[in-house]
Amino acid sequence: MASSNSSPAKIGVFSFVMITAAVVMSVRTLPMTAQPGMMTIFLTLAAAICFMIPTALVSAELATAWPEDGGIFIWVREAFGERMGFVAVWMQWIQMVFGMTSILMIVGAIFAYAFDPALAQNKMYILAVILVVYWACTLGNMRGVKTLGWVSTLCVILGVFLPFFVLVACAIAYLVGGHPIVTDLSFTTANLIPDFSDKGTWALFIGFVFVVMGMEVSASNVSHVKNAERNYPIAVFLVALFVVIVSVVGSFAIFIGIPTKHISMTAGLIQAFQTYFKMWGLGWLTPIMAICMAIGLAGQVNSWVLGPVRGLQATANAGALPKVLQKTNKQGVPVNLIYLQAILISIVGVLICVMPNVDSFYFMLLGLTSLVTSLLTY
């Protein structure tokens, strides 16, 4: 039961673009997309055409046909009934629990790199970051989607666009300075098209698909958007365009200066900044960029706090969850569900204490996220 009948504030298309961008876009995936070299063009476009654009089209159509909070729960319920709607939104929510915990680990590792890289392998430090950052995001989201809009805008600018443009500027300066291009940029079939007879190629392609996932999550807030029938489709297509540009151009900016076989999956972006900054005696900028990227990732986590839980709120209001979980504040935020979500992520985070090391815990979370997401999608 809502604690107030006042209508939550509406947001414009710009704020909604920033919220959606914060959900989908991140520079943390650039090392992975840079590893295939020129094949990143084909793989990114294939992932966009086969997955992101259809998802955006379907989300736009369904969100404007049913412009109410609940997202995937509402859509699946209308097609297959309330029970299947609950299953769908629960799977979306639980994969977020694992996925956001893994992203919080990266936030901790990047912050550690800015101050003391050894902390990146310290389990207690990583756990502290998981708890502090997620609970801060939880409390911040209690102020509703209006606050989410400006926080997402700040985090996308500092954590995505700023590192991206600095990286591209460094790559341009690298080329203008006459430095050697260390990756084959030839436009040949062998260099552009991956070999799909190799199982490893399919695993790599799935990684590119995961880069463009999440577009449907923003639909959970569609009722808070001004003129949703017009603005929602505009927002998702703008974000789709941004994702493709950032992925392809950002990957180029990395692999022209670092051989693809030497790109680290987790530290590749920092490698690129180090390589470029050292050339001009600007190594002190590397920690600053690390902090910006960590802020961007924290913003991505912040944008997911209210996403899938809106679907659970719709199921609670429909009677599928206990009445206590229907409680909302005056901003329309489902407070008890948000707290339950934060507690669950805290419990998952504590599991790092019984894992052999930080990396093994990260890969376990990544595997669980991939498994649940694959089941939800297919």
Side-chain angles (χ1 to χ4, degrees):
M1 175 182 303
S3 59
S4 174
N5 293 326
S6 59
S7 299
K10 297 278 187 175
I11 58 174
V13 65
F14 177 78
S15 293
F16 191 65
V17 165
M18 291 297 104
I19 292 173
T20 306
V23 170
V24 180
M25 293 176 62
S26 175
V27 292
R28 71 185 173 87
T29 58
L30 289 181
M32 187 274 292
T33 57
Q35 283 189 338
M38 290 292 286
M39 292 180 186
T40 191
I41 300 174
F42 178 90
L43 291 169
T44 300
L45 291 177
I49 293 171
C50 297
F51 192 89
M52 182 171 61
I53 292 176
T55 300
L57 286 169
V58 171
S59 297
E61 178 65 25
L62 295 176
T64 52
W66 290 278
E68 55 184 296
D69 285 347
I72 196 172
F73 168 72
I74 301 297
W75 309 339
V76 176
R77 182 194 67 185
E78 293 298 318
F80 303 109
E82 192 168 288
R83 183 171 299 178
M84 289 305 297
F86 174 78
V87 171
V89 77
W90 184 86
M91 292 179 69
Q92 184 189 57
W93 178 69
I94 203 65
Q95 67 88 15
M96 180 278 301
V97 169
F98 299 128
M100 289 303 101
T101 307
S102 68
I103 293 178
L104 287 165
M105 292 181 68
I106 298 176
V107 172
I110 292 177
F111 267 125
Y113 193 91
F115 302 103
D116 181 5
L119 287 174
Q121 295 302 318
N122 186 305
K123 293 190 288 186
M124 292 299 100
Y125 162 77
I126 295 296
L127 174 59
V129 171
I130 291 172
L131 297 178
V132 171
V133 173
Y134 195 79
W135 277 96
C137 290
T138 296
L139 296 177
N141 273 271
M142 290 299 177
R143 297 180 61 85
V145 74
K146 195 73 173 180
T147 299
L148 175 61
W150 73 258
V151 170
S152 297
T153 299
L154 176 64
C155 291
V156 168
I157 291 173
L158 289 180
V160 179
F161 291 142
L162 177 62
F164 171 72
F165 286 120
V166 171
L167 179 64
V168 172
C170 287
I172 293 173
Y174 179 86
L175 294 174
V176 172
H179 299 284
I181 297 174
V182 298
T183 300
D184 182 8
L185 301 185
S186 61
F187 281 83
T188 63
T189 301
N191 200 36
L192 290 172
I193 310 299
D195 179 12
F196 281 97
S197 64
D198 182 1
K199 292 181 180 179
T201 300
W202 286 103
L204 182 63
F205 178 64
I206 290 174
F208 274 75
V209 170
F210 286 142
V211 169
V212 302
M213 291 181 68
M215 191 74 75
E216 74 285 353
V217 174
S218 65
S220 299
N221 292 312
V222 71
S223 68
H224 297 271
V225 181
K226 298 175 184 176
N227 194 8
E229 289 79 4
R230 172 184 176 273
N231 290 337
Y232 184 86
I234 292 174
V236 295
F237 280 113
L238 283 175
V239 173
L241 179 61
F242 292 159
V243 169
V244 172
I245 292 173
V246 169
S247 181
V248 173
V249 177
S251 297
F252 267 73
I254 292 177
F255 65 60
I256 62 171
I258 302 176
T260 55
K261 63 181 179 181
H262 294 151
I263 297 174
S264 168
M265 190 73 79
T266 56
L269 196 53
I270 297 296
Q271 283 179 319
F273 282 125
Q274 276 187 323
T275 299
Y276 295 137
F277 289 156
K278 281 183 177 180
M279 291 181 180
W280 307 301
L282 300 173
W284 56 272
L285 282 175
T286 303
I288 295 176
M289 297 311 302
I291 292 172
C292 287
M293 287 185 286
I295 291 173
L297 288 173
Q300 186 177 32
V301 172
N302 186 71
S303 297
W304 277 78
V305 170
L306 274 178
V309 83
R310 288 290 192 189
L312 283 182
Q313 180 185 11
T315 66
N317 293 340
L321 293 175
K323 191 172 182 179
V324 66
L325 298 179
Q326 299 177 22
K327 180 182 177 182
T328 61
N329 62 16
K330 62 182 180 180
Q331 283 80 28
V333 176
V335 289
N336 289 341
L337 277 172
I338 292 292
Y339 283 132
L340 175 64
Q341 178 173 269
I343 291 170
L344 184 56
I345 286 181
S346 299
I347 293 172
V348 172
V350 169
L351 294 178
I352 194 174
C353 298
V354 298
M355 297 298 292
N357 52 58
V358 171
D359 287 342
S360 61
F361 185 55
Y362 176 78
F363 285 116
M364 181 193 78
L365 292 175
L366 200 61
L368 288 171
T369 304
S370 301
L371 176 61
V372 177
T373 303
S374 297
L375 291 173
L376 174 62
T377 305
Y378 300 107

